Amino acid sequence: MSKHPKDEVFEHDFDGIQEYDNELPGWWKKLFYLCIGFAVIYILHFHVLGTGDLSHTEYMKEYDPNYTEPLVEVSGGVFNRYTSPYLAREENITPRVQAELNNLLNAPFDEHMYRAMSKASPEQLEKLKAIFPEIYAQFESGAMAQPMQPATTSASIASTLTEPLTDASALLDGKKTFETQCFSCHGMKGEGGIGPNMTDEYWVHGSDMQSVLKTIYKGVPAKGMIAWEKTLSPEQIDNVASYILVKLVGSNPPNPKAPEGQKAE
Ligand code: HEC
């Protein structure tokens, strides 16, 4: 096209309105080309290469910093990503929410019952009590005061003690813990109740220091024994385990619960 000199009027005429045929200003054209360049980079970055997060992923990451975008199956070539992020992804749950759901689904039956009982109306609770008396007894005993711990993956415990502590201050601290945290299930004098008798020589989970420590650390969630590692410090657990083994075992409290488990050698 031939370049029109500045301020040359076009030949055409609309009802007496005429126009100049001027070049677009340089700043305008630069902006225009910049926009085209930006669009190309934008499309490559977000929709083709996938190096940038689309709004859906950005949202998920804000909700869960560990979210990783699932790989989308590519069926339509490089521009496949250029579909709505909502259509391209099947899931709309983050891994954290999924983990919580799995936890819930895999929880033992008792735990589901505890949840139900904690939300039940008095009449519903009566019915549940009639059908599941044992679970109700545990629920009522306050086993639920501490939410059940999900099974811990690591089986290791923080204490390496193989023999109980015998110094008076440790035993006194252990007694204090026992009489504030453990008595509700094991009895004030360790005679047993919901939990086993701590004064006889019979043990369900082993009588040596490490076994007792481990039971206290990890609990027996399915049976209503709480995992104490989150509530008590390692010293407190050392002390209460020592108190059980040194002071309670062999004592003869009134109203002892019948022995459970195997006799210690
Ligand atoms: C909510 C009730 C409850 C509380 C509170 C509780 N326990 Fe237990 N405990 C149990 C039950 C139930 C068992 C039996 C688990 C089994 O049969 O597998 C048990 C078992 C144990 C055992 C193993 C006994 C054996 O025969 O092997 C030890 C040790 C123990 N508890 C220590 C403690 C200590 C220490 C505390 C306090 C820090 C405590 N428990 C608090 C319910 C409780």
Side-chain angles (χ1 to χ4, degrees):
M1 254 212 266
S2 69
K3 243 186 160 194
H4 293 272
K6 247 185 177 317
D7 290 353
E8 187 175 312
V9 178
F10 270 133
E11 297 84 25
H12 54 237
D13 175 328
F14 303 97
D15 295 338
I17 300 169
Q18 286 185 288
E19 58 177 327
Y20 287 135
D21 180 20
N22 285 346
E23 279 280 310
L24 286 162
W27 64 264
W28 194 97
K29 281 201 277 195
K30 280 182 197 138
L31 206 63
F32 180 60
Y33 297 135
L34 209 70
C35 286
I36 295 177
F38 179 82
V40 170
I41 294 168
Y42 183 95
I43 288 226
L44 285 175
H45 180 53
F46 287 105
H47 294 295
V48 179
L49 303 175
T51 40
D53 289 337
L54 293 177
S55 52
H56 176 263
T57 310
E58 217 168 54
Y59 169 78
M60 295 305 245
K61 279 189 177 163
E62 203 168 290
Y63 180 63
D64 178 0
N66 298 325
Y67 178 79
T68 47
E69 194 182 6
L71 285 175
V72 180
E73 229 177 84
V74 176
S75 56
V78 285
F79 282 96
N80 192 55
R81 281 173 58 89
Y82 195 56
T83 47
S84 157
Y86 294 95
L87 293 179
R89 281 155 196 74
E90 303 236 303
E91 74 4 298
N92 47 26
I93 307 180
T94 68
R96 197 186 74 197
V97 173
Q98 188 63 55
E100 280 166 14
L101 275 176
N102 289 347
N103 253 350
L104 202 61
L105 291 174
N106 298 334
F109 179 71
D110 289 14
E111 201 176 319
H112 286 295
M113 292 310 300
Y114 289 144
R115 279 176 210 273
M117 287 173 179
S118 65
K119 294 195 176 134
S121 69
E123 304 85 62
Q124 290 171 325
L125 204 54
E126 277 306 308
K127 285 186 197 155
L128 288 173
K129 182 181 174 183
I131 307 171
F132 304 105
E134 280 162 29
I135 297 175
Y136 180 82
Q138 291 206 3
F139 169 72
E140 206 190 16
S141 76
M144 252 328 263
Q146 307 261 341
M148 296 268 152
Q149 311 284 348
T152 1
T153 37
S154 110
S156 66
I157 60 172
S159 176
T160 51
L161 281 187
T162 51
E163 291 298 327
L165 302 166
T166 48
D167 58 294
S169 69
L171 294 177
L172 197 67
D173 181 69
K175 181 176 158 76
K176 205 180 78 196
T177 302
F178 193 88
E179 293 182 352
T180 52
Q181 310 281 352
C182 321
F183 77 96
S184 57
C185 296
H186 293 288
M188 205 58 172
K189 296 198 153 57
E191 69 273 17
I194 289 159
N197 185 331
M198 298 269 120
T199 64
D200 59 26
E201 297 189 299
Y202 290 79
W203 295 85
V204 182
H205 298 286
S207 61
D208 60 291
M209 185 64 174
Q210 270 291 310
S211 302
V212 172
L213 284 168
K214 198 163 173 191
T215 313
I216 302 171
Y217 267 90
K218 301 296 173 187
V220 191
K223 294 280 177 67
M225 167 64 185
I226 296 153
W228 290 93
E229 61 184 344
K230 302 243 165 66
T231 320
L232 300 177
S233 69
E235 294 74 43
Q236 284 178 307
I237 297 182
D238 282 348
N239 294 346
V240 75
S242 303
Y243 174 71
I244 292 172
L245 289 174
V246 175
K247 292 284 180 182
L248 293 183
V249 171
S251 65
N252 280 308
N255 307 317
K257 190 181 180 191
E260 287 164 74
Q262 277 150 29
K263 195 165 196 284
E265 315 89 47

